Amino acid sequence: MLMAYDPQKRGTKFQLNAGRRSEGEAFLPIRKRKKPLLLETYISFISENRKSVSNSIYVRQVVW
């Protein structure tokens, strides 16, 4: 799962099943805005058989 949190608007954008490990990357589409957008980003993982799920991990702050 990929998630971006906007603390100013208290809104989130997330995507479950964002990518497979074999692909080596994942993408979270976020529209570009006129004003810079400050986002807090998180990631979490789930096993293919869906029996193991990681805690979410804070990645970093992004200005978009």
Side-chain angles (χ1 to χ4, degrees), residues 4-34:
Y5 172 67
D6 178 352
Q8 290 181 344
K9 293 186 178 181
R10 295 185 178 177
T12 59
K13 175 77 174 181
F14 65 93
Q15 184 154 348
L16 303 174
N17 303 318
R20 304 198 97 163
R21 184 182 304 245
S22 61
E23 294 170 357
E25 64 182 13
F27 179 72
L28 180 64
I30 298 176
R31 287 186 325 192
K32 190 75 171 160
R33 310 238 199 269
K34 290 182 181 180

Side-chain angles (χ1 to χ4, degrees), residues 39-53:
L39 299 170
E40 306 292 344
T41 59
Y42 297 82
I43 191 169
S44 67
F45 301 91
I46 188 167
S47 64
E48 195 168 341
N49 65 7
R50 302 206 173 287
K51 291 187 178 185
S52 298
V53 179

